[in-house]
């Protein structure tokens, strides 16, 4: 057997050196003879590189300098992580003294196809799924498809510098992202690099983007509220820390607005928020950032952006990178809220990658593992036991439906993974019911376990009252002769509908929500004209905060609604109502 080899050199080898190289290769590869092609390469500085098939033997000065650079970078990174910068000189000196230059043997792959952000490579047969590889032009990629005789790689950069015949080397590292406290308040891309013009970010550590979800033993039940500040959600579909609540609806129904209000409501509650934008326009993300900055919410928020102009591989890994950041804080005992906006575009990006990798398409052309795509992401959200870290990740995935079709492939998949859904309806939105929450189709599978006692008692019958009102409204719209009880129920239902309307970017405090619901159940709002209810509520809450601030502090402190407190709230509301009527007269 005769094998072909390539020798890159600075100074041409003599006959004796070539003979030794041939002997070495015969012994290593069990060949009868070796043909060596000689190529001069001044960039090596000195020494040579010998390539045979998929193996590369690096005895060059350039290779040894790279080894030393990597060694120094590793030392500097580890030193900065442990906050021992003052010892860096002595650590570097010791590391360099111990450093041994060695001839590097590397597995080299050859590009056989490149296009649409996908590269097919032969040669790196020992690479594994999820491993990072580097092309000779410096672009990084991730192994996404491992076949019998070739590897499919997705690119994290432009493919303009990669051609058929280009070389690629393994790194031996799995795809990961830098994480740390310094990321708070920053906008980063899917690889953890800052894109807000605020300079480099000093990372505390490096976490893999794919990580096993916490086991059952390491999880606690969901029992601590994650208040959104939105009355219709906190009263009827409460979200708890560690829960996964889906926000689903057609485009332009206020899905992102609910997520934004929830982030704004976490101010001062020691919750870190991560907003992952997948396939959004850069201008849309800029508007969201401005909203967060105006409300001083960027201090505790991180934006992970994979915009519509980014390649599909970056949109694919963005939510996993965001979750890796969230896990860093969770395992430190902190509570994290993460929004995935939206997973429909995430599935589309993954479908594009899979089809380009020539995987078999299934239902709606999605690959067979599209359920696993989202399940392995959302299962990482949980509330940990104190022994496991004590933190939590609360996930708000967003799914966009087409013409309200919740029975489509991706919506049904994500509904089955999550712990409930908030369904937003176009008809309600266009009719002025904002947030446009459909009370019948929305649900929280955690329920009252994620509510404070005060909210649970105050919101007790709201959902039933609304359902009765909807039913009664249909039957009474053609009837003019109604008894007093029916009229009272209709007036109460109309008032509730109006109270559940809420302006954008104005989340309510828990105490304000409880007072509103107690007043509504006491029929304080029932005889107020519909057009005046919003103004009436604003004035009522202002009156309660100034004249009865003790009620606010009682509710915030005890988180409970006693019968005495309920009576005091009702009396105070009636007192305000009388004062208002007197002024109007």
């Amino acid at each position: 057997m005769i094998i072909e080899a390539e020798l890159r050199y600075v100074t041409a080898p003599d006959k004796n050196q070539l003979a030794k190289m041939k002997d070495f290769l015969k012994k290593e590869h069990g060949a009868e003879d070796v043909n060596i092609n000689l190529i001069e390469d001044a960039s090596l500085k000195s020494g040579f590189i010998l390539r045979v098939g998929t193996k590369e033997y690096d005895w060059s000065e350039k290779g040894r300098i790279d080894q030393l650079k990597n060694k120094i970078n590793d030392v500097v990174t580890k030193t900065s992580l442990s906050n021992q910068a003052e010892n860096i000189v002595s650590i570097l000196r010791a590391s360099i003294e111990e450093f041994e230059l060695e001839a590097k043997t590397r597995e080299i792959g050859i590009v056989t196809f490149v296009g649409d952000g996908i590269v097919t490579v032969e040669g790196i047969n020992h690479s594994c799924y999820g491993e990072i590889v580097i092309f000779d032009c410096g672009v990084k990629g991730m192994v996404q498809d491992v076949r019998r005789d070739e590897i499919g790689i997705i690119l994290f950069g432009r493919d303009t510098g990669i051609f058929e015949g280009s070389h690629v080397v393994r790194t031996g590292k799995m795809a990961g992202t830098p994480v740390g406290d310094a990321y708070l308040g920053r906008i980063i891309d899917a690889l953890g690099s800052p894109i807000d013009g605020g300079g480099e970010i000093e990372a505390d550590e490096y976490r893999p983007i794919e990580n096993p979800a916490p086991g059952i033993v390491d999880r606690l039940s969901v029992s601590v509220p994650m208040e959104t500040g939105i009355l219709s959600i906190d009263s009827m579909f409460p979200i708890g820390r560690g829960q996964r609540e889906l926000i689903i609806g057609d485009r332009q129904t206020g899905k992102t607005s609910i997520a934004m209000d929830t982030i704004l409501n976490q101010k001062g509650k020691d919750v870190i928020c991560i907003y992952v934008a997948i396939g959004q326009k850069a201008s849309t993300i800029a508007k969201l950032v401005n909203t967060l900055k105006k409300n001083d919410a960027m201090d505790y928020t991180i934006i992970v952006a994979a915009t519509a102009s980014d390649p599909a591989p970056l949109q694919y890994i963005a939510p996993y990178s965001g979750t890796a950041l969230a896990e860093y804080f969770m395992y430190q005992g902190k509570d994290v809220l993460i929004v995935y906006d939206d997973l429909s575009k995430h599935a589309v990006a993954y479908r594009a990658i899979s089809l380009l990798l020539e995987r078999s398409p299934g239902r709606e052309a999605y690959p067979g593992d599209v359920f696993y795509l989202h399940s392995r992401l959302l299962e990482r959200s949980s509330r940990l036991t104190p022994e496991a870290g004590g933190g939590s990740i609360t996930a708000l995935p967003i799914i966009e439906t087409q013409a309200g079709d919740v029975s489509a492939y991706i919506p049904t998949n994500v509904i089955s993974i999550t712990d409930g859904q908030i369904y937003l309806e176009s008809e309600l939105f266009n009719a002025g019911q904002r947030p446009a929450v459909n009370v019948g189709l929305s649900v929280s599978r955690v329920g009252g376990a994620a509510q404070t006692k005060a909210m649970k008692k105050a919101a007790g019958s709201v959902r039933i009252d609304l359902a009765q009102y909807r039913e009664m409204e249909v039957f009474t719209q053609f009837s003019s002769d109604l008894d007093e009880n029916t009229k009272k129920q209709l007036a109460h239902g109309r008032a509730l509908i109006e109270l559940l309307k809420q302006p954008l970017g104005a989340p309510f405090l828990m105490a304000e929500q409880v007072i509103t619901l107690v007043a509504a159940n006491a029929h304080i709002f029932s005889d107020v004209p519909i057009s005046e209810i919003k103004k009436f509520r604003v004035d009522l809450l202002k009156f309660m905060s100034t004249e009865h601030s003790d009620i606010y502090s009682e509710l915030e402190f005890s988180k409970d609604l006693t019968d005495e407190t309920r009576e005091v709230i009702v009396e105070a509301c009636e007192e305000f109502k009388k004062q208002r009527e007197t002024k109007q007269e």
Side-chain angles (χ1 to χ4, degrees):
M1 182 180 72
I2 300 172
I3 60 171
E4 294 291 327
E6 177 186 285
L7 177 67
R8 291 182 173 270
Y9 61 87
V10 178
T11 306
D14 57 28
K15 288 181 180 179
N16 188 33
Q17 288 172 323
L18 274 176
K20 283 183 178 178
M21 286 180 197
K22 285 185 178 182
D23 290 342
F24 167 75
L25 292 176
K26 284 177 188 176
K27 190 176 177 182
E28 281 284 310
H29 297 273
E32 295 170 8
D33 199 6
V34 180
N35 286 335
I36 299 180
N37 298 315
L38 301 176
I39 300 170
E40 189 175 346
D41 188 348
S43 68
L44 302 181
K45 301 185 189 302
S46 67
F48 59 88
I49 294 176
L50 190 58
R51 284 180 183 158
V52 184
T54 62
K55 279 204 169 182
E56 179 182 86
Y57 304 94
D58 191 343
W59 281 284
S60 68
E61 183 184 339
K62 183 175 177 287
R64 296 177 183 215
I65 289 170
D66 288 342
Q67 287 178 45
L68 186 57
K69 270 186 188 172
N70 292 337
K71 179 73 175 175
I72 291 171
N73 283 337
D74 286 347
V75 171
V76 170
T77 305
K78 288 174 184 170
T79 306
S80 61
L81 297 186
S82 55
N83 296 318
Q84 295 174 331
E86 68 278 1
N87 297 329
I88 192 165
V89 176
S90 58
I91 293 171
L92 278 173
R93 189 181 291 121
S95 299
I96 291 166
E97 283 170 2
E98 294 167 11
F99 179 68
E100 290 181 16
L101 289 170
E102 55 188 356
K104 274 282 187 182
T105 305
R106 297 188 297 181
E107 225 178 344
I108 299 291
I110 307 295
V111 173
T112 57
F113 167 82
V114 58
D116 297 311
I118 302 293
V119 180
T120 306
V121 172
E122 288 181 353
I124 45 174
N125 302 322
H126 297 94
S127 57
C128 52
Y129 178 85
E131 184 181 350
I132 294 294
V133 294
I134 301 177
F135 293 85
D136 48 13
C137 63
V139 173
K140 289 183 180 178
M142 185 173 83
V143 176
Q144 187 68 19
D145 219 21
V146 181
R147 302 171 196 159
R148 186 184 294 275
D149 52 356
E150 61 184 9
I151 304 291
I153 293 167
I154 56 175
L155 291 178
F156 294 148
R158 303 294 171 193
D159 59 10
T160 49
I162 302 170
F163 308 97
E164 287 185 24
S166 295
H167 293 103
V168 57
V169 293
R170 293 177 58 196
T171 62
K173 292 181 181 177
M174 302 305 286
T177 182
V179 296
D181 294 330
Y183 279 86
L184 288 170
R186 300 299 300 271
I187 307 167
I188 58 172
D189 64 14
L191 299 173
S193 304
I195 54 173
D196 55 2
E200 287 300 308
I201 304 172
E202 188 177 331
D204 291 342
E205 61 179 78
Y206 191 84
R207 284 190 71 87
I209 60 168
E210 299 266 13
N211 211 33
I216 295 295
V217 176
D218 294 330
R219 293 176 182 243
L220 282 176
S221 61
V222 176
S223 59
V224 181
M226 172 65 75
E227 288 158 353
T228 64
I230 300 168
L231 183 61
S232 56
I233 294 172
D234 288 346
S235 59
M236 293 182 282
F237 323 107
I239 301 169
R241 298 191 181 189
Q243 189 176 342
R244 301 151 303 174
E245 183 80 1
L246 172 64
I247 302 171
I248 185 168
D250 285 5
R251 65 183 298 274
Q252 300 295 318
T253 51
K255 301 185 296 298
T256 303
S257 300
I258 285 181
M260 280 294 111
D261 277 2
T262 307
I263 291 174
L264 297 181
N265 196 50
Q266 304 316 310
K267 188 175 180 180
K269 295 184 180 175
D270 199 25
V271 175
I272 290 163
C273 301
I274 298 173
Y275 177 81
V276 183
I278 310 157
Q280 307 285 330
K281 289 188 293 185
S283 58
T284 306
I285 298 168
K287 283 179 189 172
L288 295 176
V289 171
N290 282 336
T291 304
L292 293 172
K293 283 181 178 174
K294 276 182 193 171
N295 293 276
D296 299 323
M298 271 307 282
D299 298 339
Y300 56 86
T301 305
I302 303 167
I303 309 284
V304 181
T307 62
S309 60
D310 284 331
L314 289 179
Q315 293 183 40
Y316 160 59
I317 68 160
Y320 299 103
S321 296
T323 309
L325 261 169
E327 284 175 334
Y328 165 76
F329 293 109
M330 176 176 74
Y331 286 110
Q332 287 184 344
K334 296 177 182 175
D335 293 308
V336 184
L337 170 70
I338 186 164
V339 178
Y340 304 107
D341 191 7
D342 65 58
L343 291 187
S344 307
K345 292 187 178 73
H346 183 229
V348 167
Y350 186 61
R351 175 171 65 184
I353 290 168
S354 297
L355 291 173
L356 288 166
L357 286 168
E358 298 178 5
R359 290 181 181 172
S360 300
R363 179 177 163 188
E364 294 179 27
Y366 288 104
D369 63 341
V370 76
F371 180 90
Y372 183 54
L373 173 79
H374 290 147
S375 68
R376 73 178 190 264
L377 173 70
L378 293 168
E379 285 298 331
R380 290 160 72 180
S381 299
S382 63
R383 182 167 167 240
L384 296 179
T385 60
E387 295 78 20
S392 70
I393 296 177
T394 308
L396 292 181
I398 293 175
I399 287 286
E400 186 180 294
T401 54
Q402 305 291 325
D405 184 14
V406 290
S407 64
Y409 192 23
I410 302 302
T412 49
N413 276 355
V414 182
I415 285 170
S416 66
I417 297 164
T418 49
D419 309 309
Q421 68 274 351
I422 296 163
Y423 179 59
L424 304 178
E425 203 169 8
S426 298
E427 287 179 16
L428 289 174
F429 186 85
N430 295 330
Q433 184 70 35
R434 300 174 188 182
V437 178
N438 182 311
V439 177
L441 292 179
S442 302
V443 67
S444 171
R445 296 191 185 102
V446 174
Q451 280 178 313
T452 57
K453 287 182 181 177
M455 181 60 81
K456 199 172 182 180
K457 289 176 181 176
S461 63
V462 171
R463 201 167 179 182
I464 296 166
D465 291 345
L466 280 172
Q468 286 176 342
Y469 166 70
R470 298 273 188 207
E471 195 174 329
M472 205 176 288
E473 190 185 34
V474 173
F475 284 106
T476 57
Q477 59 185 334
F478 300 111
S479 174
S480 56
D481 187 24
L482 302 173
D483 63 273
E484 283 303 311
N485 195 37
T486 305
K487 285 179 182 175
K488 197 174 179 182
Q489 273 189 302
L490 284 171
H492 178 55
R494 287 193 199 101
L496 273 179
I497 293 279
E498 200 63 26
L499 286 170
L500 292 179
K501 294 178 183 177
Q502 197 167 331
L504 196 61
F508 288 123
L509 297 171
M510 185 272 287
E512 290 175 334
Q513 292 179 335
V514 170
I515 291 167
T516 302
L517 290 170
V518 169
N521 289 329
H523 298 280
I524 300 293
F525 296 97
S526 296
D527 56 351
V528 178
I530 295 294
S531 58
E532 294 178 24
I533 283 180
K534 285 180 187 172
K535 176 83 167 60
F536 186 95
R537 175 172 59 184
V538 170
D539 294 341
L540 172 63
L541 292 175
K542 197 180 288 181
F543 168 79
M544 295 294 283
S545 65
T546 52
E547 301 294 323
H548 297 276
S549 56
D550 54 316
I551 294 175
Y552 271 75
S553 49
E554 166 72 18
L555 289 170
E556 291 292 345
F557 177 73
S558 68
K559 309 288 185 190
D560 199 358
L561 178 66
T562 60
D563 292 339
E564 294 80 19
T565 308
R566 190 193 293 269
E567 285 172 16
V568 171
I569 291 171
V570 173
E571 285 171 12
C573 292
E574 286 172 347
E575 178 195 336
F576 167 75
K577 197 172 182 182
K578 282 176 187 172
Q579 287 180 10
R580 190 170 179 271
E581 286 169 357
T582 307
K583 282 179 186 176
Q584 285 177 344
E585 288 171 5

